[in-house]
């Protein structure tokens, strides 16, 4: 009977173990299935170059990952805690103390014949709670709070300034990649076209229809273009790495980077603007200055520093004013001061009003005030300097945008003329009218015009980004 029960219990335990094993494996399978798509999605999110990266998304990524932005956000936490510290000085503070003192001897008092006792004990212990409330501080506490508030506002504007500069750097890095991609494409096309010319020259040389000099000239030209293509591909790889570093992505994804936006200047629905596009920029210069004065974080910071320096003067002046504090103390001590000629624990409390007035400090406070007043004048001069610099930067940025507009129009026309010139030169060469040198010259002219056009588009986009930066947008 007992043996059957043991077998039955063993069977139940084995069955239970099997059930638990099946449940465990099922749970693991569900976990893996649930995490699989999420992991794939996360991986795709970390490598945006695989699916294409727009300028807008690049800016969002830079603001989320750039280390300067992250440091600035942490600076805001610091400013918040400084404000909390300054506000705490207005309210009561509670402190506790505990002490033990041992004397070498205590006084003995004789009351009468045969009657004497000691005052106190060689062993003395005390525990105390103290509450301190500032009543008047000469403006020191209120000035500290105001300075902390200004400091928080300054930090907020610094964060905004850093974010705008990161946006500009992200745009510039994006445009750098687009520019170098376009240059690589121009060099590759030029290399392909030169190879085609070389093949034609070799065929004609085999028939005795061309000179060896022309063949050598084209071969040298092909070698030079190939070197330019290799150098441009190296530059492209470097700017891709710099772009990933700017927006805070792992450098390993730079190889597969794909950008979805292009260098362009949409005006009136056209990629290349009409010449009249200069007029709104010229007319909008005063508005640009007004926007800059209203939006520029560095100007706001300079104005806030002036206000903060005024509070520093108040703090310096407060050192020469009276201060008044109220304290309430409660504690237990041994031996108790309430007992006489006996030893025992006892409580006590007291209220203390403390007033302090500086009398003479050899001119230290006045010197401190003069220092702060000098710093105030420096802050006011710095604010004036920033205003003048903003005027200069806005005018330079508007001028750069206008110049790039004209340059785009010119280079776009140059490309059309260079393409037509190359077409006519190739026809003339086939018909024996033009030489190979003339064909190569027109090809070089087309390459130069193409690169200048791309460069003008890059300059325009960069100038617009810089104009947004200097106007505080």
């Amino acid at each position: 009977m007992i043996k059957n029960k043991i077998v039955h219990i063993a069977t139940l335990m084995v069955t239970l173990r099997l059930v638990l094993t099946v449940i465990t494996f099922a749970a693991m399978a569900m976990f893996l299935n649930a995490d699989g798509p999420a992991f794939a999605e996360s991986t795709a999110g970390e490598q945006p170059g695989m699916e294409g990266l727009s300028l807008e998304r690049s800016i969002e990524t830079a603001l989320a990952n750039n280390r300067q932005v992250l440091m600035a956000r942490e600076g805001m936490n610091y400013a918040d805690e400084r404000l909390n510290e300054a506000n705490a000085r207005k309210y009561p503070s509670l402190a506790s103390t505990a002490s033990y003192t041992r004397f070498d001897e205590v006084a003995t008092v004789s009351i009468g014949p045969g009657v004497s006792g000691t005052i106190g004990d060689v062993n003395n212990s005390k525990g105390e709670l103290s509450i301190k409330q500032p009543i008047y501080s000469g403006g020191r506490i209120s000035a500290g709070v105001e300075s902390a508030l200004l400091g928080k506002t300054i930090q907020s504007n610094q964060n905004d300034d850093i974010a705008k500069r990161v946006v500009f750097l992200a745009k510039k890095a994006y445009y750098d990649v687009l520019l170098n991609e376009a240059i690589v494409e121009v060099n590759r096309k030029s290399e392909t076209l030169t190879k085609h010319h070389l093949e034609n020259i070799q065929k004609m040389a085999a028939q005795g229809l061309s000179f060896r000099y022309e063949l050598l000239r084209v071969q040298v030209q092909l070698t030079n273009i190939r070197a330019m293509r290799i150098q441009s591909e190296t530059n492209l790889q470097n700017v891709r790495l710099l772009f990933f570093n700017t927006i805070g992505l792992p450098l390993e994804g730079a190889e597969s980077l794909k950008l979805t936006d292009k260098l362009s200047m949409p005006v009136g629905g056209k990629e290349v603007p009409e010449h009249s596009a200069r007029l709104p920029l010229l007319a909008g210069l005063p508005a640009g200055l007004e926007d800059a004065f209203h939006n520029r974080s560095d100007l706001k910071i300079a104005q806030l520093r002036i206000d903060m320096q005024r509070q520093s003067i108040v703090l310096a002046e407060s050192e020469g004013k009276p201060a008044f504090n109220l304290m309430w103390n409660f504690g237990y001590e041994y031996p108790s001061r309430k007992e006489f000629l006996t030893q025992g624990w006892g409580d006590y409390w007291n209220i203390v009003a403390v007033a302090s007035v500086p009398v003479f400090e050899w001119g230290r406070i006045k010197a401190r005030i003069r220092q702060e007043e000098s710093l105030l004048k420096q802050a006011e001069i710095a604010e004036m300097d920033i205003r003048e610099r903003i005027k200069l930067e806005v005018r330079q940025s508007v001028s750069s945008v206008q110049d790039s507009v004209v340059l785009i129009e010119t280079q776009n026309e140059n490309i059309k003329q260079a393409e037509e010139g190359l077409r006519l030169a190739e026809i003339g060469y086939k018909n024996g009218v033009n030489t190979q040198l003339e064909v190569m010259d027109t090809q070089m002219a087309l390459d130069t015009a193409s690169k200048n056009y791309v460069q003008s588009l890059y300059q325009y986009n960069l100038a617009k980004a810089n104009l947004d930066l200097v106007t505080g947008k």
Side-chain angles (χ1 to χ4, degrees):
M1 185 70 177
I2 296 175
K3 183 178 180 180
N4 292 336
K5 289 183 177 180
I6 293 175
V7 173
H8 182 67
I9 292 173
T11 303
L12 289 176
M13 292 179 65
V14 172
T15 303
L16 181 60
R17 181 175 296 179
L18 290 173
V19 171
L20 291 175
T21 302
V22 172
I23 293 174
T24 301
F25 278 108
M28 291 177 63
M30 293 175 62
F31 176 79
L32 291 175
N33 290 335
D35 286 355
F39 176 78
E41 182 179 354
S42 175
T43 304
E46 293 175 358
Q47 303 293 337
M50 297 297 294
E51 60 185 30
L53 192 61
S54 66
L55 177 59
E56 182 179 0
R57 188 177 176 191
S58 299
I59 293 173
E60 293 173 354
T61 304
L63 292 176
N65 299 333
N66 185 273
R67 284 175 286 275
Q68 293 296 324
V69 175
L70 297 178
M71 290 173 61
R73 291 173 183 169
E74 193 59 36
M76 199 65 192
N77 295 333
Y78 174 80
D80 286 334
E81 296 307 322
R82 282 199 63 187
L83 179 59
N84 292 336
E85 178 186 4
N87 278 318
R89 299 182 186 276
K90 298 186 298 184
Y91 304 109
S93 60
L94 176 65
S96 63
T97 58
S99 65
Y100 169 78
T101 305
R102 180 174 175 82
F103 297 106
D104 57 346
E105 60 180 0
V106 294
T108 301
V109 178
S110 178
I111 300 177
V115 181
S116 63
T118 59
I119 299 178
D121 196 297
V122 294
N123 297 305
N124 289 261
S125 301
K126 182 170 71 172
E128 183 178 85
L129 289 176
S130 298
I131 298 178
K132 180 181 178 181
Q133 173 63 57
I135 303 301
Y136 177 74
S137 63
R140 184 181 296 108
I141 294 177
S142 58
V145 173
E146 185 64 25
S147 294
L149 281 170
L150 291 170
K152 182 178 179 180
T153 308
I154 287 175
Q155 184 63 51
S156 176
N157 281 278
Q158 287 177 339
N159 291 9
D160 182 63
D161 184 64
I162 290 173
K164 290 176 181 177
R165 293 185 183 279
V166 168
V167 169
F168 171 77
L169 292 175
K171 288 181 178 180
K172 182 179 183 303
Y174 195 96
Y175 297 149
D176 285 342
V177 175
L178 292 177
L179 171 64
N180 282 271
E181 285 180 346
I183 291 176
V184 168
E185 184 64 23
V186 171
N187 288 333
R188 287 174 178 171
K189 289 181 178 179
S190 180
E191 184 179 4
T192 301
L193 189 59
T194 305
K195 286 180 180 180
H196 178 68
H197 289 323
L198 180 59
E199 292 173 357
N200 292 336
I201 291 291
Q202 289 172 340
K203 291 179 182 178
M204 296 179 70
Q207 300 174 5
L209 300 178
S210 65
F211 297 102
R212 178 171 173 78
Y213 171 74
E214 292 182 338
L215 178 62
L216 292 175
R217 181 70 182 272
V218 176
Q219 289 175 337
V220 171
Q221 181 71 11
L222 178 60
T223 302
N224 292 336
I225 293 175
R226 182 178 291 114
M228 293 174 58
R229 188 259 304 166
I230 294 174
Q231 182 61 49
S232 63
E233 290 175 344
T234 302
N235 293 339
L236 175 59
Q237 181 60 27
N238 290 335
V239 296
R240 280 178 171 175
L241 291 173
L242 180 60
F243 170 68
F244 264 55
N245 181 70
T246 301
I247 65 176
L249 288 179
L251 300 182
E252 291 75 15
E255 288 288 343
S256 59
L257 175 63
K258 296 179 181 178
L259 302 184
T260 59
D261 292 337
K262 301 297 181 183
L263 287 172
S264 61
M265 191 175 71
V267 175
K270 298 181 180 180
E271 183 172 322
V272 180
E274 299 295 336
H275 188 71
S276 59
R278 294 170 52 88
L279 299 180
L281 294 172
L282 290 170
L285 181 57
L289 285 173
E290 184 178 350
D291 290 341
F293 288 145
H294 182 266
N295 298 330
R296 283 282 290 262
S297 298
D298 52 350
L299 181 59
K300 293 179 182 179
I301 291 172
Q303 294 167 343
L304 289 168
R305 291 194 187 281
I306 292 175
D307 295 336
M308 180 177 284
Q309 194 54 44
R310 291 195 178 103
Q311 296 302 318
S312 296
I313 294 176
V314 174
L315 283 171
E317 292 172 343
S318 68
E319 295 186 20
K321 296 180 180 179
F324 182 71
N325 297 307
L326 195 63
M327 298 179 63
W328 179 80
N329 303 309
F330 174 81
Y332 279 91
E333 62 182 358
Y334 174 87
S336 174
R337 68 187 68 181
K338 297 179 181 179
E339 303 289 341
F340 183 67
L341 301 180
T342 61
Q343 285 78 35
W345 284 91
D347 61 352
Y348 68 92
W349 66 269
N350 56 64
I351 297 177
V352 182
V354 180
S356 61
V357 181
V359 178
F360 182 70
E361 295 194 14
W362 293 92
R364 181 189 68 83
I365 296 176
K366 289 184 178 180
R368 169 76 186 281
I369 294 174
R370 287 194 291 267
Q371 292 176 43
E372 300 299 338
E373 289 174 344
S374 176
L375 292 176
L376 175 60
K377 293 180 181 179
Q378 294 179 40
E380 291 172 343
I381 294 173
E383 191 264 350
M384 294 172 56
D385 181 66
I386 291 175
R387 283 184 175 273
E388 293 302 315
R389 190 173 73 243
I390 288 174
K391 293 178 183 179
L392 176 63
E393 290 176 350
V394 171
R395 292 180 183 275
Q396 289 178 334
S397 296
V398 171
S399 178
S400 296
V401 174
Q402 294 172 341
D403 292 342
S404 61
V405 169
V406 178
L407 187 60
I408 289 174
E409 296 174 350
T410 304
Q411 295 304 324
N412 183 58
E413 188 64 28
N414 284 346
I415 288 179
K416 295 178 181 178
Q417 294 175 355
E419 288 174 344
E420 180 64 15
L422 179 60
R423 186 184 69 84
L424 295 176
E426 288 177 338
I427 294 174
Y429 179 74
K430 291 178 181 180
N431 295 327
V433 178
N434 296 330
T435 65
Q436 181 62 34
L437 295 179
E438 292 173 327
V439 176
M440 291 174 59
D441 288 342
T442 55
Q443 179 186 337
M444 290 293 295
L446 176 59
D447 291 345
T448 302
S450 299
K451 292 178 181 178
N452 288 342
Y453 175 70
V454 174
Q455 186 69 36
S456 65
L457 286 176
Y458 169 79
Q459 290 176 355
Y460 171 79
N461 283 268
L462 191 60
K464 286 287 290 182
N466 188 65
L467 183 59
D468 289 341
L469 177 65
V470 299
T471 55
K473 293 183 180 179

